[in-house]
Amino acid sequence: MTRRMNAAPAAALAAGALLALTGCGGSGAAAEGETKGPELLGEKLSTMVGTVDKMGIVEWHGQMLTKSPEKGGKRVLDLDARYSPSLGYSEISMDTVLDGNAQQIDYLVVNDRVYFNSEKWGPVANDCWADITDDAARTWALPRDLDPSWALTQGRAVSADGEDVTVALGYKDVIAGLPMGLFESVPSLPYDTEATATIEPHGHLIEVGIDVAGMWKKVAPAERATLDKRVGYWAMTMKESPDGSAIKPPGHVFDPTVTPPSQCKR
């Protein structure tokens, strides 16, 4: 599991990457004019990174759409989650009707182990979890990078519109932040392939929109035609969770193929 950067290093990374856009050489008033834009972008991005870093528990919502909402994109899946930066623990609920198959799965990720709870088990099993760490068929909806701030800390700022910042994200960072079962295989891409993302602060809420489909522009046309058109746009929001309770390890771990859920606490 990828842990969050500390606020100072994350801010320094954002600012450093942006200053690199100004090139080398120059001094005095001319150099100051050249760096003013990138420095401002760096400040905007690092401020948002700092906002997330101050959150005790980060509550985030991720949604995969066929394309951007402005273009009428349809929902593929939703993830609702709480993430503890100090512990690296996550509570995640997935809801989807992918391929007409309705699924609702609750996950608990603790110390790199993944646990599963089903609402079909009933209220008596609310604190009972099955270890599914190596079960790819059930863990497919989990991102590899569970820290939701990846779009901010890994982004290279490109431009700004008011308080909003447009960033470029390396395709490996994007793939790591998305549910790992969305792609049967990731196409061969040049190392410098990037996706465009917009990051918008709204008071206590930070909104991220990533053009996933745009990453495929460098893919050969024949290979691009095989890509799943459902995976087009990733929308995410982050805020400090109003529920400040700690994310706890599973109370009871059992094997549902051996023990009935009704007896999981025995």
Side-chain angles (χ1 to χ4, degrees):
M1 181 184 303
T2 302
R3 295 296 185 89
R4 184 197 313 280
M5 300 178 185
N6 291 329
L13 175 63
L18 294 164
L19 290 174
L21 297 174
T22 65
C24 302
S27 61
E32 181 179 354
E34 291 174 359
T35 60
K36 184 176 180 181
E39 286 179 344
L40 180 59
L41 287 175
E43 290 176 5
K44 291 179 181 294
L45 189 57
S46 60
T47 295
M48 286 188 277
V49 171
T51 297
V52 177
D53 281 336
K54 292 176 183 177
M55 297 178 184
I57 298 290
V58 184
E59 185 173 293
W60 64 273
H61 174 72
Q63 187 175 67
M64 178 56 73
L65 305 169
T66 54
K67 52 188 174 181
S68 75
E70 289 77 13
K71 296 180 180 179
K74 296 181 180 180
R75 181 181 72 94
V76 175
L77 65 83
D78 289 281
L79 294 179
D80 285 294
R82 297 173 72 241
Y83 173 75
S84 170
S86 60
L87 298 174
Y89 296 175
S90 290
E91 295 173 338
I92 301 176
S93 179
M94 183 273 289
D95 179 30
T96 181
V97 288
L98 194 64
D99 296 327
N101 179 26
Q103 292 187 62
Q104 194 281 321
I105 300 176
D106 292 325
Y107 298 106
L108 178 61
V109 185
V110 173
N111 295 330
D112 297 326
R113 304 298 298 179
V114 182
Y115 302 93
F116 159 81
N117 176 278
S118 173
E119 60 182 7
K120 294 180 180 178
W121 295 346
V124 69
N126 282 347
D127 199 30
C128 297
W129 299 84
D131 190 327
I132 57 169
T133 303
D134 299 317
D135 186 345
R138 291 191 175 184
T139 60
W140 70 269
L142 289 175
R144 291 177 177 85
D145 187 349
L146 294 171
D147 181 344
S149 69
W150 59 270
L152 283 71
T153 57
Q154 305 303 322
R156 174 179 62 84
V158 176
S159 63
D161 181 5
E163 295 302 312
D164 303 345
V165 179
T166 298
V167 304
L169 289 162
Y171 79 93
K172 290 185 178 180
D173 295 316
V174 175
I175 296 298
L178 300 181
M180 51 190 164
L182 284 177
F183 302 97
E184 291 186 4
S185 62
V186 179
S188 177
L189 296 170
Y191 75 93
D192 59 348
T193 299
E194 295 177 318
T196 300
T198 302
I199 304 175
E200 305 176 7
H202 299 284
H204 68 292
L205 185 75
I206 293 177
E207 183 177 342
V208 179
I210 302 172
D211 176 17
V212 180
M215 293 194 304
W216 313 138
K217 291 178 181 177
K218 294 183 180 180
V219 177
E223 188 175 10
R224 192 186 313 153
T226 66
L227 292 170
D228 193 335
K229 298 299 189 295
R230 298 170 306 186
V231 185
Y233 191 90
W234 179 249
M236 177 187 289
T237 59
M238 288 169 279
K239 65 179 181 180
E240 183 162 24
S241 177
D243 176 5
S245 62
I247 298 175
K248 299 178 181 179
H252 303 275
V253 180
F254 77 112
D255 184 347
T257 64
V258 175
T259 305
S262 61
Q263 300 179 27
C264 66
K265 298 180 182 180
R266 295 183 181 179

